[in-house]
Amino acid sequence: MAPSQYSVANGEVRIDDEFWSPWIDRNRSVTVEYQYDQLEASGTLDNFRRVIDGKEGGFRGMWFQDSDAYKWLEAASYELAKADDPDLRERVDDVIDLVAGAQADDGYLNTYFQLVEPGKKWTNLHMLHELYCAGHLIEAAVAHYEATGEKSLLDVATAFADHVDDVFPDEVDGVPGHEEIELALVRLYRVTDEERYLDLAQYFVDRRGHDDRLAWELDRLEEIGGGEYDSDDWEGSIHEGSRTVFLDDDGEYDGSYAQAHAPVREQDAVAGHSVRAMYLYAAVTDLVAERGDEDLRGALDRLWSNMTARQMYVTGGIGPEHEHEGFTEDYDLPNESAYAETCAAIGSIFWNQRMAELTTESKYADLIERTLYNGFLAGVGLDGKHFFYVNPLASEGDHHRKGWFTCACCPPNAARLFASLGQYLYTTDDDELYVNQYVGSTLSTTVGDTDVELEQTSDLPWEGTVTIDVDADGSVPVNVRIPEWCDDATVAVDGEEVDHGGSGYLRLEREWDGERIELEFAQRTDVVAAHPAVEADAGRVAVERGPLVYAAEAVDNDRPLHQYAVPTEPDVTATHEPDSLNGVTALETDATVPSLDGWGDELYRSAAEADTEDDRLELIPYYAWDNREPGEMQVWHRADDA
Amino acid sequence: MAPSQYSVANGEVRIDDEFWSPWIDRNRSVTVEYQYDQLEASGTLDNFRRVIDGKEGGFRGMWFQDSDAYKWLEAASYELAKADDPDLRERVDDVIDLVAGAQADDGYLNTYFQLVEPGKKWTNLHMLHELYCAGHLIEAAVAHYEATGEKSLLDVATAFADHVDDVFPDEVDGVPGHEEIELALVRLYRVTDEERYLDLAQYFVDRRGHDDRLAWELDRLEEIGGGEYDSDDWEGSIHEGSRTVFLDDDGEYDGSYAQAHAPVREQDAVAGHSVRAMYLYAAVTDLVAERGDEDLRGALDRLWSNMTARQMYVTGGIGPEHEHEGFTEDYDLPNESAYAETCAAIGSIFWNQRMAELTTESKYADLIERTLYNGFLAGVGLDGKHFFYVNPLASEGDHHRKGWFTCACCPPNAARLFASLGQYLYTTDDDELYVNQYVGSTLSTTVGDTDVELEQTSDLPWEGTVTIDVDADGSVPVNVRIPEWCDDATVAVDGEEVDHGGSGYLRLEREWDGERIELEFAQRTDVVAAHPAVEADAGRVAVERGPLVYAAEAVDNDRPLHQYAVPTEPDVTATHEPDSLNGVTALETDATVPSLDGWGDELYRSAAEADTEDDRLELIPYYAWDNREPGEMQVWHRADDA
């Protein structure tokens, strides 16, 4: 069974969008370049060179350092798919040469194990990330092949995948602690048509949750000297941190950290390290799309419902807990101490895109939109050089983006998402076209046998006007998504208004010969409350406008932010400020603050005597916070129903 | 200059009060006995025995363990002052024999240094607490002498005080890190009339804030091996923890932890370890009372204003921060993470009693009342066997009283306060009598040359009826305090109503021949707000009734507590429940909670559509929390102004 829809390939889309293009351009000119420089500076490429030169030891970086090279290759390949760039192509080829050169004769490739512990391969699946790195190699190879048609990296990836296929499960029967290879193997299957890669992905998914292998590893890790987990020591001793992160407070193995607490098909609630969870669920979605496993499909629906109804920030961010970088329990969504890793938001986009491909439900594209504009985008500074690993929804002003991280997963992950954003805009199935995201762009693709050309303009997120000019060889239904945030949408085709049923896909079927679809999504400021069970947001509201979640920052407001209370139906002024924060529409809402009159030396006094006075609260898009003077920030404001 | 007022000696008051007598009786029958057993079980008495036997090493407990014996002696002496008790007297005498026997020929007495580091006396004034222990010895000795007229312990105390007076400042020029000896020396002066003890107290107060001695100690501690501060290791290695607690995040000495950041007379804001601060300010108040130092008096006023207007919980608790057990900055009063050590509340009572003695202002007795009924009393379980060291104002249900502590300062401190509660009820000056606390009791004292007998009945805190029958040899003005929490008080003498000006002392001057003063303090439920600068209480209210702060506990309420919102002018039902929590008046207030109707799978939805519904919130006195099934607790509830 094939998926209901497919993502349109990155190379078939050209983005030209007032909002997104500057981000994508900065990603190309700043992040991808910086990331490349980091491959040298961090020793990542030297690790490959040392293997090629037959040296021992001298490994630099984290034990999954290879994946940085692969993520860069993937991002760079997406760039090459959009436009040739000889300089970039040359560097890509050079890095591929290093990667290929380091590959062992049997296909094995992992510079940490090759340099440091050649005798210990496949002995610590759960923390030492050989399969995780393999997955990123495969993803890079597929992207490179799709971009260039060249097999230089694809051959390396298939050789390694074949080696993994030899080893698992006959020699080693276990699953990676950090999922990634599963979704990569499906991608590899889709470009090679080799069913064994799909079978291997299925094996890794099905085997998860049977923990005899892990017990064996825990014993073995004792032999090879796994220490107590101490994140401060990660840089100094790679094996530290590899053993007890799986253990709960009682020192017992639980497995939920790696989604291994139960077989995937029995799981009901998202759990554990949130990036791992997202990569797993993305792979499972691919498998369901390919093979139609109803049990797994049921699990996906349960997991998605649990995440979105009980374990997700209003920004689309997920995983509140720092210690395990992941999920905790239903409705546990603290704001200031939120983890909400940037990579987890990216992972959620990966999963939801696959759910959108699998189904014809618009809610997945709705969630991608929310996550893109908020939980993901906040992770990247306006300069393209600084990144949040952690995305709190409130701050005392002491949380700032950094240039790079010891565990540098987020910046390269952001880079590959920006570089491939085109593939998140449209999906097709055998007969129809779906417009999922409103980003100015052109599309040249084929739906069934019909060539389709499409040109979209959009002034989202600031306004809600979208035009889509469609040309096709024949009759192709075009499904346009009316966003969940819009309750006042008008749709016209060729100047004639079309009835619609509100949010969801609106199917427009006709012969297309340059007709224009005009969409008008009224941008309303919405004040939202969280479910009553969410303690952190009790009595609080968040302000949204269109797809954007807004935040208050100290720099725009005179009072400490805790003093503002916002009505649930406020009077809001939206002002586009082209010179502020690279251009944003800022909001100003009426609010009340405590009157300071009448407060003398009392620290406490009768509440009935404590007056409030009218004030205004200024808000900026959440993604834009921490780009000016440091200070308090909050997304959830006290509600004032007076 | 003598203080304006004096506390009436403990022995002149007999408490017979429906509310307080059971606490005091449990303290005598449970806590004082348990505390004595602990002196044996913990090795505290054995430390003295080892010194007597000329042994080396083998010291048990914390390095200030001796003070446990002294605090017990002080509490037991207060009991002996109220009623003879041959068994208790015998044990007191036995312990005094041990203490006296361990004293060195030169008067020195500290079993830690005598057993463990005899060559290192006075080398770590700031953390190793020789002077702190000396202070508790002196306080015990004064209490024992006042209770029994015997000098057995007083002689030990004066010999040690004389030794300290010899050593300081000629041999050692420095001050203790933990204040205590200062106020003890004033007490010693008052029973011995030896001016040199007052001079020594003055020296310790005046020298504080000149940190050259501490710099010397920090160097020296490096020689003798002070390690990094690690509270887990306190038991294992006494010197650990003795060095870096003074250092700020940058490793610099700041001194505020021990109120040594500036000379006391220049200080403007309460700072550092809150128990130390209270003991210091208490001593300073005594010194001002004795010597009328206007600069110190000015500092006291500034410090008191800062504490009460900016750094005090509504319970009277102080010191929000765990790490340094103390004050932080203005308006920093987090609820769930509050420290608010029981000993700090007790220290505040010590200080405020002295401020009440120094002045004729009722605000100090008002604060003592608030602290007694709330911040202090919560520290003691209803069984008299379990104690809070830390008194948060909100809890998820995981904070519970414990039987004893490694650093067992709070239980013995509570014991000596309960045992001496009589001395907090009345003060006199040369001509007048002041009734400060409404606790059923009899008083026999002398005001000037006039003998006064007084009998008080009170049904506080549940109701507000107080009677005071006064007999005197002549005309004595009796000043009755109209509490700050009461805005509807009636006062009658001999059946005739007396006009008054509201809260504060009302002076009733006449010949007294058994006339009855009748006081009626209407008990109103008051809903209070905190100053707008207090972030933790923004949009929140606390409920008080009379002198009591109330709290909500999960066991009484169906919804999670964060879901309740309380109006600022609620409809409250007060019900006395004699069988609940040893008898309390519980409150039930109207409240709103979010309606769960209309919440389906959404985690977020339009705030305007989120309804509330009426509910009731049950409240119990804060002091009584955590005496039933564990669960959430909160003092500050969301305010509902709708």
Side-chain angles (χ1 to χ4, degrees):
Chain A
M1 172 181 151
S4 309
Q5 300 171 256
Y6 299 95
S7 291
V8 165
N10 196 39
E12 296 179 342
V13 180
R14 295 281 177 280
I15 290 177
D16 180 9
D17 185 83
E18 196 170 344
F19 183 81
W20 286 104
S21 290
W23 287 98
I24 292 167
D25 293 346
R26 275 194 300 274
N27 182 63
R28 171 66 193 90
S29 62
V30 177
T31 311
V32 172
E33 291 303 309
Y34 185 70
Q35 198 182 343
Y36 178 77
D37 293 342
Q38 285 295 314
L39 294 183
E40 285 294 7
S42 65
T44 305
L45 297 182
D46 279 340
N47 291 334
F48 290 98
R49 294 188 184 108
R50 290 185 68 82
V51 174
I52 291 169
D53 294 343
K55 293 183 177 159
E56 289 178 12
F59 179 84
R60 287 171 64 194
M62 305 290 280
W63 59 93
F64 48 90
Q65 196 72 25
D66 292 358
S67 64
D68 276 9
Y70 304 146
K71 283 184 192 164
W72 180 80
L73 283 170
E74 185 182 347
S77 296
Y78 293 137
E79 291 298 337
L80 294 178
K82 294 186 289 183
D84 191 25
D85 179 334
D87 169 67
L88 183 63
R89 186 156 34 86
E90 191 180 320
R91 281 182 289 161
V92 165
D93 288 341
D94 289 347
V95 174
I96 290 173
D97 286 346
L98 292 178
V99 171
Q103 187 165 38
D105 292 342
D106 64 1
Y108 184 86
L109 178 52
N110 183 290
T111 69
Y112 169 71
F113 278 95
Q114 288 170 289
L115 290 173
V116 182
E117 298 194 299
K120 301 290 183 186
K121 293 166 190 165
W122 312 123
T123 60
N124 185 352
L125 300 185
H126 282 78
M127 284 305 293
L128 290 190
H129 293 1
E130 286 154 295
L131 293 169
Y132 168 85
C133 290
H136 278 300
L137 167 64
I138 294 165
E139 284 211 273
V142 171
H144 182 252
Y145 173 70
E146 290 182 330
T148 64
E150 291 169 18
K151 291 195 164 182
S152 51
L153 192 58
L154 191 67
D155 288 342
V156 178
T158 51
F160 195 9
D162 291 341
H163 177 69
V164 171
D165 195 31
D166 287 343
V167 172
F168 291 83
D170 294 345
E171 289 177 42
V172 181
D173 183 15
V175 301
H178 198 316
E179 302 90 332
E180 157 65 21
I181 195 168
E182 300 86 346
L183 70 90
L185 286 166
V186 180
R187 292 185 73 176
L188 189 62
Y189 157 72
R190 287 177 178 167
V191 297
T192 63
D193 220 23
E194 294 285 355
E195 190 86 9
R196 66 178 183 280
Y197 299 135
L198 200 59
D199 292 340
L200 189 56
Q202 183 90 48
Y203 158 75
F204 284 131
V205 166
D206 287 343
R207 196 78 187 91
R208 184 167 300 275
H210 305 274
D211 67 5
D212 45 340
R213 165 74 196 184
L214 182 56
W216 180 88
E217 283 192 9
L218 290 175
D219 287 346
R220 190 153 177 78
L221 279 167
E222 221 154 305
E223 288 172 38
I224 63 171
E228 288 296 300
Y229 173 72
D230 181 347
S231 60
D232 289 340
D233 290 333
W234 272 29
E235 277 182 302
S237 169
I238 287 167
H239 270 102
E240 300 223 2
S242 67
R243 186 166 144 234
T244 56
V245 284
F246 286 97
L247 306 184
D248 64 18
D249 290 343
D250 300 325
E252 296 298 314
Y253 170 59
D254 162 272
S256 62
Y257 175 62
Q259 300 74 49
H261 53 292
V264 176
R265 58 190 68 236
E266 294 172 14
Q267 294 184 17
D268 294 317
V270 293
H273 188 282
S274 49
V275 175
R276 295 170 193 229
M278 293 302 103
Y279 287 8
L280 170 64
Y281 308 150
V284 172
T285 310
D286 281 337
L287 278 172
V288 171
E290 296 295 341
R291 293 184 161 170
D293 184 324
E294 283 304 314
D295 285 350
L296 284 178
R297 170 64 195 263
L300 287 173
D301 287 344
R302 294 194 301 274
L303 291 165
W304 195 89
S305 292
N306 173 262
M307 180 174 91
T308 57
R310 300 186 171 202
Q311 301 210 55
M312 189 180 78
Y313 287 100
V314 70
T315 56
I318 49 172
E321 201 207 40
H322 279 240
E323 193 180 0
H324 293 93
E325 305 188 310
F327 295 107
T328 55
E329 57 196 43
D330 289 354
Y331 304 116
D332 177 31
L333 295 163
N335 290 309
E336 192 174 338
S337 68
Y339 197 68
E341 187 180 340
T342 303
C343 281
I346 294 169
S348 171
I349 291 169
F350 294 164
W351 179 27
N352 277 283
Q353 182 69 5
R354 286 163 171 83
M355 291 298 283
E357 292 166 13
L358 179 67
T359 70
T360 53
E361 293 181 65
S362 61
K363 63 184 182 182
Y364 304 109
D366 283 334
L367 181 52
I368 289 172
E369 183 180 51
R370 175 177 293 271
T371 308
L372 268 179
Y373 279 107
N374 302 289
F376 159 66
L377 202 55
V380 187
L382 294 182
D383 62 1
K385 290 182 188 175
H386 292 83
F387 301 87
F388 280 141
Y389 199 112
V390 168
N391 293 277
L393 279 76
S395 169
E396 296 291 332
D398 51 358
H399 183 69
H400 306 298
R401 294 182 187 84
K402 292 180 186 163
W404 210 252
F405 300 92
T406 305
C407 174
C409 55
C410 296
N413 236 348
R416 63 186 185 132
L417 180 59
F418 276 126
S420 63
L421 193 67
Q423 75 190 45
Y424 296 88
L425 309 188
Y426 306 98
T427 48
T428 64
D429 61 16
D430 291 341
D431 308 307
E432 313 210 2
L433 176 69
Y434 296 82
V435 181
N436 295 316
Q437 304 300 334
Y438 293 108
V439 176
S441 55
T442 57
L443 167 70
S444 296
T445 193
T446 306
V447 179
D449 299 324
T450 309
D451 290 335
V452 179
E453 302 276 331
L454 176 154
E455 183 167 352
Q456 180 185 171
T457 70
S458 162
D459 57 10
L460 262 67
W462 312 126
E463 300 301 334
T465 304
V466 174
T467 67
I468 302 171
D469 297 336
V470 188
D471 244 325
D473 283 349
S475 171
V476 171
V478 175
N479 297 273
V480 294
R481 181 178 61 94
I482 298 176
E484 47 94 17
W485 50 260
C486 181
D487 62 0
D488 180 12
T490 57
V491 182
V493 179
D494 212 16
E496 277 186 44
E497 194 164 327
V498 180
D499 285 344
H500 65 83
S503 64
Y505 285 116
L506 172 66
R507 188 168 184 269
L508 302 168
E509 183 171 16
R510 60 183 296 161
E511 306 274 332
W512 297 98
D513 186 22
E515 282 82 1
R516 170 162 292 189
I517 304 170
E518 292 169 288
L519 303 163
E520 192 67 45
F521 303 127
Q523 290 271 28
R524 185 189 62 176
T525 299
D526 200 14
V527 174
V528 299
H531 189 283
V534 181
E535 182 169 359
D537 301 335
R540 293 181 176 268
V541 291
V543 179
E544 301 180 342
R545 181 174 182 274
L548 294 172
V549 175
Y550 275 71
E553 270 199 307
V555 65
D556 296 316
N557 295 286
D558 294 333
R559 294 283 193 108
L561 298 181
H562 70 262
Q563 295 190 12
Y564 292 89
V566 174
T568 52
E569 298 182 82
D571 167 31
V572 178
T573 310
T575 308
H576 194 68
E577 298 176 355
D579 298 326
S580 174
L581 295 162
N582 291 358
V584 293
T585 295
L587 302 181
E588 193 180 278
T589 164
D590 55 332
T592 57
V593 294
S595 170
L596 300 178
D597 297 340
W599 284 99
D601 276 348
E602 313 96 330
L603 186 49
Y604 306 101
R605 65 184 181 126
S606 176
E609 291 167 18
D611 291 331
T612 59
E613 59 191 41
D614 292 338
D615 206 326
R616 306 286 291 176
L617 181 66
E618 289 198 36
L619 301 157
I620 58 160
Y622 170 71
Y623 76 76
W625 86 277
D626 193 44
N627 281 291
R628 297 173 296 173
E629 294 120 83
E632 278 187 291
M633 180 279 293
Q634 70 182 21
V635 169
W636 288 96
H637 320 286
R638 288 196 294 114
D640 174 15
D641 291 303
Chain B
M1 175 181 149
S4 309
Q5 299 169 257
Y6 299 94
S7 291
V8 165
N10 197 39
E12 296 178 343
V13 180
R14 295 280 176 283
I15 291 176
D16 180 10
D17 184 83
E18 196 170 342
F19 182 81
W20 286 104
S21 289
W23 288 98
I24 292 167
D25 293 347
R26 276 195 300 274
N27 182 62
R28 170 66 192 88
S29 63
V30 178
T31 311
V32 172
E33 291 302 310
Y34 185 70
Q35 196 182 343
Y36 177 78
D37 294 342
Q38 286 295 315
L39 294 183
E40 285 293 7
S42 64
T44 306
L45 297 182
D46 279 341
N47 290 335
F48 290 99
R49 293 187 185 107
R50 291 184 68 81
V51 173
I52 291 170
D53 295 344
K55 292 183 177 159
E56 289 177 14
F59 178 85
R60 287 171 64 196
M62 305 289 279
W63 59 92
F64 48 90
Q65 196 72 26
D66 291 357
S67 64
D68 277 9
Y70 304 146
K71 283 184 191 163
W72 180 80
L73 283 171
E74 186 183 346
S77 296
Y78 293 138
E79 292 298 338
L80 293 179
K82 293 186 289 183
D84 192 24
D85 179 333
D87 169 65
L88 184 63
R89 187 156 33 88
E90 192 179 319
R91 280 182 288 160
V92 164
D93 288 340
D94 288 347
V95 174
I96 290 174
D97 286 346
L98 292 178
V99 171
Q103 187 166 36
D105 291 343
D106 64 0
Y108 185 86
L109 178 52
N110 184 290
T111 69
Y112 169 71
F113 278 95
Q114 287 170 291
L115 291 173
V116 182
E117 297 194 299
K120 300 291 184 185
K121 292 168 189 163
W122 312 123
T123 60
N124 185 351
L125 300 184
H126 283 77
M127 285 304 294
L128 289 190
H129 293 2
E130 287 154 294
L131 293 169
Y132 169 84
C133 290
H136 278 300
L137 168 63
I138 294 167
E139 284 211 274
V142 171
H144 183 252
Y145 172 70
E146 289 181 333
T148 64
E150 290 169 19
K151 291 195 165 182
S152 52
L153 193 58
L154 191 67
D155 288 342
V156 178
T158 52
F160 195 8
D162 292 340
H163 177 70
V164 171
D165 194 30
D166 286 343
V167 171
F168 291 83
D170 294 345
E171 290 177 41
V172 181
D173 183 14
V175 302
H178 198 317
E179 301 92 333
E180 158 63 20
I181 196 169
E182 300 86 346
L183 70 87
L185 285 167
V186 179
R187 291 185 73 176
L188 189 62
Y189 156 72
R190 286 177 179 166
V191 297
T192 62
D193 219 24
E194 295 284 352
E195 190 87 9
R196 66 178 182 280
Y197 300 135
L198 200 59
D199 291 340
L200 189 55
Q202 182 90 48
Y203 159 74
F204 283 131
V205 166
D206 287 342
R207 198 78 188 89
R208 185 168 300 274
H210 304 274
D211 68 4
D212 46 341
R213 166 74 196 184
L214 182 56
W216 181 87
E217 284 190 8
L218 290 174
D219 286 346
R220 190 152 179 77
L221 279 166
E222 220 154 304
E223 289 173 38
I224 64 172
E228 289 295 301
Y229 174 72
D230 182 347
S231 60
D232 290 340
D233 289 333
W234 273 29
E235 279 182 301
S237 169
I238 287 165
H239 270 103
E240 299 223 3
S242 67
R243 188 165 142 232
T244 54
V245 282
F246 287 97
L247 306 185
D248 63 21
D249 291 343
D250 300 323
E252 297 297 314
Y253 170 60
D254 161 273
S256 61
Y257 175 62
Q259 299 74 48
H261 52 294
V264 178
R265 58 191 66 237
E266 294 171 14
Q267 294 184 17
D268 295 317
V270 294
H273 188 281
S274 51
V275 176
R276 296 171 192 228
M278 294 301 103
Y279 287 8
L280 171 64
Y281 308 150
V284 172
T285 310
D286 281 337
L287 277 172
V288 171
E290 295 295 339
R291 291 183 161 169
D293 184 323
E294 283 303 314
D295 284 351
L296 284 178
R297 170 66 194 261
L300 288 173
D301 287 343
R302 294 193 303 274
L303 291 164
W304 195 90
S305 292
N306 173 262
M307 180 175 92
T308 57
R310 300 185 171 201
Q311 301 211 54
M312 189 181 79
Y313 287 100
V314 70
T315 58
I318 49 173
E321 200 207 42
H322 279 240
E323 192 181 1
H324 292 93
E325 306 189 309
F327 295 106
T328 54
E329 56 196 42
D330 290 354
Y331 304 116
D332 177 31
L333 294 163
N335 290 310
E336 192 174 340
S337 67
Y339 197 69
E341 186 180 340
T342 303
C343 280
I346 294 169
S348 171
I349 291 169
F350 293 165
W351 179 28
N352 278 282
Q353 183 70 5
R354 285 165 172 83
M355 292 298 283
E357 292 165 13
L358 180 67
T359 69
T360 53
E361 292 180 65
S362 62
K363 64 184 181 184
Y364 304 109
D366 283 333
L367 180 52
I368 288 172
E369 183 180 50
R370 175 176 292 270
T371 309
L372 267 179
Y373 278 107
N374 303 289
F376 160 66
L377 202 55
V380 187
L382 294 181
D383 61 1
K385 290 182 187 174
H386 292 83
F387 301 87
F388 280 141
Y389 199 111
V390 168
N391 292 277
L393 279 75
S395 170
E396 296 290 334
D398 51 359
H399 183 69
H400 306 298
R401 293 182 188 83
K402 292 181 185 163
W404 210 253
F405 301 92
T406 306
C407 173
C409 57
C410 295
N413 236 348
R416 63 186 186 132
L417 180 59
F418 277 127
S420 63
L421 193 66
Q423 75 191 45
Y424 295 88
L425 309 188
Y426 306 97
T427 47
T428 64
D429 62 16
D430 291 340
D431 309 308
E432 313 209 3
L433 177 68
Y434 296 81
V435 181
N436 294 316
Q437 304 300 335
Y438 295 108
V439 176
S441 54
T442 56
L443 167 70
S444 297
T445 193
T446 306
V447 178
D449 298 325
T450 310
D451 290 334
V452 179
E453 302 277 331
L454 177 154
E455 184 166 352
Q456 180 186 169
T457 70
S458 161
D459 58 11
L460 263 65
W462 313 125
E463 300 300 334
T465 305
V466 174
T467 67
I468 303 171
D469 297 336
V470 189
D471 244 324
D473 284 348
S475 171
V476 171
V478 174
N479 297 274
V480 294
R481 181 179 62 94
I482 298 177
E484 47 94 18
W485 49 261
C486 181
D487 62 2
D488 180 12
T490 58
V491 183
V493 179
D494 211 16
E496 277 184 44
E497 194 163 329
V498 180
D499 286 345
H500 64 83
S503 64
Y505 286 117
L506 173 66
R507 190 167 183 269
L508 302 168
E509 183 171 16
R510 60 183 298 161
E511 305 275 331
W512 297 99
D513 186 23
E515 282 83 359
R516 170 163 291 190
I517 304 169
E518 292 170 289
L519 303 164
E520 193 66 46
F521 303 127
Q523 290 272 29
R524 186 190 60 178
T525 298
D526 201 15
V527 173
V528 299
H531 189 284
V534 181
E535 180 168 0
D537 301 335
R540 293 183 175 268
V541 292
V543 179
E544 302 180 340
R545 182 175 182 273
L548 295 171
V549 174
Y550 276 71
E553 271 199 307
V555 65
D556 297 315
N557 295 287
D558 295 333
R559 294 283 194 108
L561 298 181
H562 70 263
Q563 295 190 12
Y564 292 91
V566 174
T568 53
E569 297 182 82
D571 168 31
V572 177
T573 311
T575 309
H576 193 69
E577 298 175 354
D579 299 326
S580 174
L581 295 162
N582 290 358
V584 293
T585 295
L587 303 181
E588 194 181 276
T589 166
D590 54 333
T592 57
V593 294
S595 170
L596 299 178
D597 297 341
W599 284 98
D601 277 348
E602 313 95 331
L603 187 47
Y604 307 100
R605 65 183 181 127
S606 176
E609 290 167 16
D611 290 332
T612 60
E613 60 192 41
D614 291 338
D615 205 325
R616 306 285 292 174
L617 180 66
E618 290 198 34
L619 301 157
I620 58 159
Y622 170 71
Y623 76 77
W625 86 277
D626 192 45
N627 281 290
R628 297 174 296 173
E629 293 121 82
E632 278 187 291
M633 180 280 293
Q634 69 183 19
V635 169
W636 289 95
H637 320 286
R638 287 195 295 114
D640 175 14
D641 290 304

